[in-house]
Amino acid sequence: MIPISQGRSRRATLAGAVCALLVTGTALTGCSEDPNEGTNGVGRLPADQIQSRAQKAADSVGTVRLHGSVVSSGRTYTLDMRLKEEGGVGSVTTKGETFRLLRIDDELYLKADAGFWGQGADGAGGGSGGEADAAAAEKLASKYVKVPQGDPSYKKFIGFTDKSVLLSGLLTLHGTLATDGHHEQSGVRTVRVTGDEGSGGTLDVSLEGKPYPVRLVRAGEAGTLTFSAWGTDFPLEEPAEDETLDYGKQLPTS
């Protein structure tokens, strides 16, 4: 919870006392504290303008961290990614297997254990399970495997490392937009926007500093994501040569 300054606390107490003294059976206005006082002011805007301001704020800064879950094609992916314009790095978990993604410009690397490779890079199930498959999985394990650009895995996973593509597809609510009060997420005061009373998704937008997105609940129970570290830079470095394996034209996916 965000600490409230002593000065603000005293003002709120005084305002409450004055209101109590003035109440004489007639309804009073102006005695309640403005929830938008000391904020960036977006809480006073209509819902569509709040969403627009949040999208513009997200586009205006180069870096972000996002974590949470995304449901795509019936499969749940748990993400913890740091993204910038030239790439991204982080982890993805699906069907009990966790792998690490690293993208620098157009080069995509995937790092996972033997269990992941044993079931195939697309998670659809491994090969025959024989000694050759086990040996191949062990060879790939714990290496940064360079993913061929023509491989289906490249097209599937690169979106998790692309800030502009990922956010443009996520930060959209569906249906009629409305505001749903002031809230707090991870210690940040927010205003909430809903689509179709929540069935079209909800978006919490920061009331502090720039109106960055803070938390998104996607429509259709398609996942929940939180956003942080807007504008905080981080390094993107190619893995060491002895930790890298260029598998070739295609990964073992079946």
Side-chain angles (χ1 to χ4, degrees):
M1 179 177 296
I2 295 176
I4 300 176
S5 68
Q6 292 182 355
R8 182 178 174 188
S9 179
R10 284 195 296 270
R11 289 196 301 272
T13 301
L14 179 59
V18 171
C19 286
L21 288 172
L22 292 177
V23 171
T24 59
T26 303
L28 297 176
T29 60
C31 284
S32 59
E33 188 176 7
D34 181 359
N36 292 298
E37 181 183 357
T39 72
N40 55 25
V42 296
R44 298 186 176 98
L45 300 177
D48 60 336
Q49 292 186 31
I50 296 174
Q51 179 181 243
S52 177
R53 293 281 185 93
Q55 291 172 330
K56 289 179 180 179
D59 290 340
S60 72
V61 69
T63 59
V64 66
R65 178 187 177 189
L66 63 84
H67 65 278
S69 61
V70 172
V71 179
S72 178
S73 301
R75 180 179 297 182
T76 299
Y77 297 90
T78 301
L79 312 179
D80 188 353
M81 299 294 302
R82 300 197 69 175
L83 309 173
K84 61 169 63 176
E85 298 301 327
E86 59 267 36
V89 62
S91 65
V92 179
T93 301
T94 184
K95 290 191 173 182
E97 293 290 343
T98 299
F99 54 94
R100 188 167 181 82
L101 289 176
L102 168 63
R103 179 177 69 84
I104 302 176
D105 296 323
D106 292 331
E107 301 294 341
L108 179 65
Y109 300 89
L110 193 158
K111 183 178 182 180
D113 62 17
F116 174 87
W117 293 112
Q119 67 175 356
D122 62 356
S128 62
E131 292 183 4
D133 293 328
E138 287 296 335
K139 181 181 179 181
L140 297 173
S142 301
K143 294 282 189 180
Y144 280 96
V145 178
K146 187 175 180 180
V147 183
Q149 293 188 22
D151 191 88
S153 298
Y154 185 93
K155 298 176 182 178
K156 176 181 291 188
F157 295 138
I158 196 170
F160 291 144
T161 68
D162 192 313
K163 174 180 176 287
S164 60
V165 170
L166 193 58
L167 293 188
S168 64
L170 290 174
L171 297 178
T172 301
L173 303 178
H174 303 281
T176 302
L177 301 184
T179 55
D180 186 25
H182 291 60
H183 300 266
E184 184 176 297
Q185 299 292 339
S186 303
V188 177
R189 287 179 292 172
T190 66
V191 59
R192 182 169 298 168
V193 179
T194 65
D196 280 349
E197 299 182 340
S199 63
T202 69
L203 178 65
D204 277 69
V205 178
S206 176
L207 289 170
E208 304 172 13
K210 286 191 175 183
Y212 293 124
V214 177
R215 182 174 183 267
L216 172 73
V217 179
R218 301 182 70 204
E221 299 183 348
T224 299
L225 289 166
T226 60
F227 307 88
S228 61
W230 291 100
T232 302
D233 199 13
F234 61 94
L236 277 179
E237 300 177 352
E238 291 188 2
E241 186 175 349
D242 60 354
E243 296 179 355
T244 306
L245 181 63
D246 189 343
Y247 191 81
K249 294 182 179 181
Q250 187 170 359
L251 297 179
T253 58
S254 60

